[in-house]
């Protein structure tokens, strides 16, 4: 019975060596062969950009969460010819009682561009878990869409999020969105990690490309909320053409429920949805000590109630752990400011974009190290730390980031320069099933999948649950 002492010692040493190999390895750099040519933007006369028929027909319809806990929706749209009506009519499925909410309309100018009439209307006091139809427009040119409200916020409520970043409007962008729509795993809302239209890649930031992008994504975002994060391509800061107000097109076109989260600006805020508390941060707003964003986050984190919302996710455009040459260390100063908070409050997952590729980190932290105690290991495994996922692989005009730092750092678990999207299936308070889909595989194939365990309720090492 049992092992001899010698065998036991050998096994122990072998396990120790194996374990050390795992700990020291820099993870996986995928050998998947992907295309290297740059992405081509879809021309203006592409069918995905076409305008709906009829005089002054509402276009660019999109929705997002309208309050802190999922009982309100902000409906936005553009009328091209005249202001028309800012009223949204809505009714629950299986009910013939119509309600209406009145929004407001505005326009803006950007250099030599004048926008259409942009409407925003918040519809409130919706029932949870209910399908609603809604109608915008007037007279003969109304359009009807629908959405389903989330379940009531609670600790074991299943919910599925899609994850898309840096989308743009190229043929690859269209493939990414199609794959998300056709994915057998049905996302109920999208966590969008910034960089929407890439209009600023055109001369004078041609804002027509903001319009075309919104028409392109309408087929998804009119039917399920996309939760917006701002990226550098939302800045549209161009003093050389007299445009000195950062985020001008974005703030006119897209709304966030920041006031409900006691934020003072639309770029950093939080929502609760199903069993998740989601914090959105702004890489391109001030985040140093004493700034409004810093102060808000400092007050926000203690409010997260893991008994109500076990899952704590953060969206921020610029990644903190990135081993591509592209944008290397751009997120470093924000990491230095906030990483210890993320570890202390046991953030489960942090999603970023910006780098046009895919990367998943180990659970690591870099908070024990400082410039005084320089003998400490700079980055180490930390089971209280989040996994950092870079998913800036939507398919934009700038193409893929293909150059990686070598050798692969040990904080990097998996990296691959391919376009794609991800899904995040919350099962209960302890388990979430995560899958990343590369476009080239077809939408039914998951390039990598894994279980993540909740850091508050089940803080067990989940680094070995990945499989391809
Ligand atoms: Fe970016």
């Amino acid at each position: 019975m049992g092992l001899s002492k010698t065998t036991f010692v050998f096994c122990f040493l072998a396990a120790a060596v194996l374990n050390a190999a795992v700990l020291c390895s820099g993870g996986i750099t995928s050998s998947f062969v992907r295309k290297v040519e740059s992405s081509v933007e879809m021309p203006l006369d592409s069918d995905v950009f076409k305008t709906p028929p009829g005089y002054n027909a509402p276009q660019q319809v999109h929705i997002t969460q309208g309050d802190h806990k999922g009982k309100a929706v902000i409906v936005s749209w553009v009328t091209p010819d005249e202001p028309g009506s800012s009223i949204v009519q809505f009714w629950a499925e299986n009910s013939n009682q119509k309600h209406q909410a009145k929004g407001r309309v505005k326009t803006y100018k950007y250099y030599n561009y004048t926008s259409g009439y942009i409407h925003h209307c918040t519809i409130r006091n919706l029932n949870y878990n209910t399908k609603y139809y809604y109608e915008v427009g007037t007279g003969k040119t109304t359009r009807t869409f629908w959405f389903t409200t989330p379940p009531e916020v609670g600790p074991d409520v299943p919910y599925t999020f899609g994850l898309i970043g840096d989308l743009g409007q190229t043929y690859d962008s269209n493939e990414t969105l199609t794959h998300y729509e056709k994915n057998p795993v049905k996302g109920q809302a999208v966590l969008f990690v910034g960089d929407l239209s890439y209009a600023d890649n055109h001369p004078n930031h041609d804002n027509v490309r903001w319009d075309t992008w919104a028409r392109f994504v309408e087929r998804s975002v009119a039917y399920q909320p996309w939760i917006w994060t701002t990226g550098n391509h939302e800045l549209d800061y161009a003093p050389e053409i007299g445009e000195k107000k950062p985020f001008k097109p974005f703030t006119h076109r897209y709304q966030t429920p920041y006031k409900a989260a006691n934020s003072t600006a639309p770029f950093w805020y939080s929502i609760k949805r199903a069993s998740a508390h989601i914090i959105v941060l702004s890489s391109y707003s001030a985040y140093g000590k004493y700034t409004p964003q810093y102060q808000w986050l400092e007050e926000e984190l203690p409010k997260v109630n893991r008994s109500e919302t076990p899952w704590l996710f953060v969206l921020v455009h610029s990644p903190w752990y990135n081993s591509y040459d592209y944008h290397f260390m751009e997120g470093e100063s924000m990491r230095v400011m906030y990483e210890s908070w993320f570890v202390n409050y046991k953030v489960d997952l942090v999603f970023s974009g910006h780098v046009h590729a895919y990367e998943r980190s180990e659970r690591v932290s870099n908070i024990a190290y400082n410039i005084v105690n320089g003998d400490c290991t700079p980055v180490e495994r930390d089971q209280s730390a989040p996994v950092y996922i870079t998913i800036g692989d939507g398919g934009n005009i700038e193409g893929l980031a293909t150059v990686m730092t070598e050798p692969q750092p040990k904080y990097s678990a998996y990296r691959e320069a391919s376009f794609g999207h991800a899904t995040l299936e919350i099962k209960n308070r302890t388990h979430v099933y995560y899958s990343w889909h590369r476009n080239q595989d077809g939408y039914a194939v998951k390039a990598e999948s894994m279980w993540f365990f909740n850091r508050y309720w089940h803080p067990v090492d989940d680094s070995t649950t990945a499989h391809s």
Side-chain angles (χ1 to χ4, degrees):
M1 291 287 290
L3 299 168
S4 72
K5 191 176 177 187
T6 311
T7 311
F8 176 79
V9 169
F10 174 78
C11 289
F12 177 80
L13 286 173
V17 168
L18 194 64
N19 199 29
V22 169
L23 285 174
C24 295
S25 92
I28 298 165
T29 298
S30 172
S31 58
F32 190 82
V33 178
R34 77 289 304 171
K35 65 177 199 171
V36 292
E37 65 268 27
S38 61
S39 297
V40 178
E41 213 160 56
M42 294 182 283
L44 291 172
D45 60 357
S46 301
D47 59 350
V48 296
F49 298 146
K50 69 177 182 292
T51 54
Y55 174 75
N56 209 32
Q59 57 170 266
Q60 307 179 42
V61 179
H62 53 93
I63 63 171
T64 195
Q65 185 161 321
D67 66 355
H68 202 228
K69 58 185 183 179
K71 283 177 74 73
V73 167
I74 304 170
V75 181
S76 305
W77 70 99
V78 172
T79 47
D81 305 312
E82 57 174 280
S85 168
S86 294
I87 288 173
V88 175
Q89 303 241 41
F90 61 99
W91 60 97
E93 188 182 36
N94 305 324
S95 164
N96 49 19
Q97 193 188 356
K98 285 196 174 182
H99 309 272
Q100 64 178 43
K102 191 169 185 343
R104 63 195 188 287
V105 62
K106 58 186 175 180
T107 61
Y108 75 95
K109 290 183 190 302
Y110 189 96
Y111 188 56
N112 59 358
Y113 167 92
T114 303
S115 75
Y117 300 92
I118 303 170
H119 304 257
H120 300 292
C121 178
T122 305
I123 54 183
R124 301 181 187 280
N125 301 316
L126 300 167
N127 293 320
Y128 284 118
N129 225 1
T130 303
K131 183 174 181 179
Y132 285 91
Y133 291 90
Y134 69 98
E135 182 184 281
V136 290
T138 51
K140 290 178 184 169
T141 44
T142 58
R143 296 180 71 204
T144 303
F145 304 87
W146 59 86
F147 58 80
T148 302
T149 50
E152 184 170 6
V153 171
D156 288 297
V157 180
Y159 200 76
T160 301
F161 291 101
L163 282 151
I164 301 175
D166 301 63
L167 187 57
Q169 45 194 305
T170 69
Y171 292 100
D172 292 300
S173 320
N174 197 23
E175 197 176 339
T176 299
L177 186 58
T178 303
H179 281 214
Y180 171 63
E181 293 171 299
K182 301 283 187 187
N183 194 327
V185 178
K186 292 297 170 208
Q188 297 166 277
V190 168
L191 305 179
F192 191 87
V193 292
D195 284 359
L196 285 65
S197 75
Y198 290 76
D200 59 349
N201 275 355
H202 293 265
N204 303 318
H205 298 225
D206 186 0
N207 275 217
V208 167
R209 281 290 178 177
W210 273 103
D211 293 311
T212 54
W213 190 81
R215 292 201 292 272
F216 156 51
V217 297
E218 182 192 87
R219 69 190 202 227
S220 173
V221 69
Y223 299 92
Q224 61 173 250
W226 287 28
I227 308 304
W228 301 112
T229 312
T230 47
N232 49 308
H233 289 280
E234 279 65 73
L235 276 167
D236 284 308
Y237 175 67
E240 69 278 11
I241 53 172
E243 293 299 344
K244 299 173 183 170
K245 190 167 175 20
F247 302 109
K248 186 177 179 183
F250 175 84
T251 48
H252 281 85
R253 293 167 179 273
Y254 293 90
Q255 304 273 289
T256 67
Y258 68 97
K259 288 179 184 164
N262 295 315
S263 169
T264 51
F267 316 114
W268 58 90
Y269 62 100
S270 69
I271 58 163
K272 293 190 278 192
R273 197 165 183 90
S275 46
H277 189 117
I278 297 160
I279 291 175
V280 179
L281 297 178
S282 175
S283 299
Y284 306 99
S285 303
Y287 49 77
K289 199 164 185 178
Y290 315 120
T291 61
Q293 184 169 204
Y294 181 101
Q295 199 171 313
W296 177 82
L297 184 59
E298 188 176 34
E299 290 168 11
E300 173 72 7
L301 284 165
K303 293 181 194 166
V304 180
N305 178 357
R306 304 298 278 269
S307 296
E308 182 193 40
T309 50
W311 295 97
L312 178 53
F313 305 137
V314 174
L315 314 180
V316 60
H317 185 64
S318 188
W320 295 1
Y321 286 92
N322 161 38
S323 72
Y324 289 83
D325 273 12
Y326 199 58
H327 301 313
F328 187 60
M329 290 186 75
E330 282 185 20
E332 186 67 0
S333 53
M334 189 188 246
R335 183 194 68 74
V336 169
M337 292 307 299
Y338 295 154
E339 187 179 19
S340 61
W341 291 355
F342 282 19
V343 174
N344 290 341
Y345 286 96
K346 302 185 191 307
V347 172
D348 291 295
L349 299 164
V350 178
F351 296 102
S352 299
H354 202 37
V355 178
H356 302 152
Y358 175 71
E359 185 162 26
R360 172 174 57 81
S361 82
E362 303 287 359
R363 291 197 185 276
V364 289
S365 72
N366 191 7
I367 55 175
Y369 173 81
N370 64 49
I371 57 171
V372 177
N373 73 3
D375 57 355
C376 184
T377 305
V379 176
E380 53 192 21
R381 296 287 181 98
D382 185 340
Q383 288 306 318
S384 293
V387 168
Y388 296 87
I389 291 173
T390 302
I391 188 151
D393 54 358
N396 67 75
I397 192 172
E398 294 171 354
L400 282 166
T402 53
V403 181
M404 307 171 187
T405 60
E406 300 292 353
Q408 186 169 5
K410 63 181 180 181
Y411 60 75
S412 174
Y414 184 96
R415 58 185 187 176
E416 179 177 322
S418 291
F419 292 129
H421 75 279
T423 52
L424 191 64
E425 301 168 67
I426 300 175
K427 304 295 186 185
N428 52 36
R429 76 180 64 194
T430 55
H431 285 61
V432 61
Y433 192 66
Y434 167 81
S435 301
W436 175 64
H437 304 251
R438 68 165 80 84
N439 286 356
Q440 292 90 332
D441 278 343
Y443 31 74
V445 179
K446 298 160 183 169
E448 78 150 359
S449 302
M450 62 187 301
W451 289 98
F452 289 125
F453 305 145
N454 188 279
R455 289 305 93 188
Y456 184 87
W457 291 102
H458 190 57
V460 173
D461 186 355
D462 50 12
S463 62
T464 58
T465 66
H467 53 89
S468 303

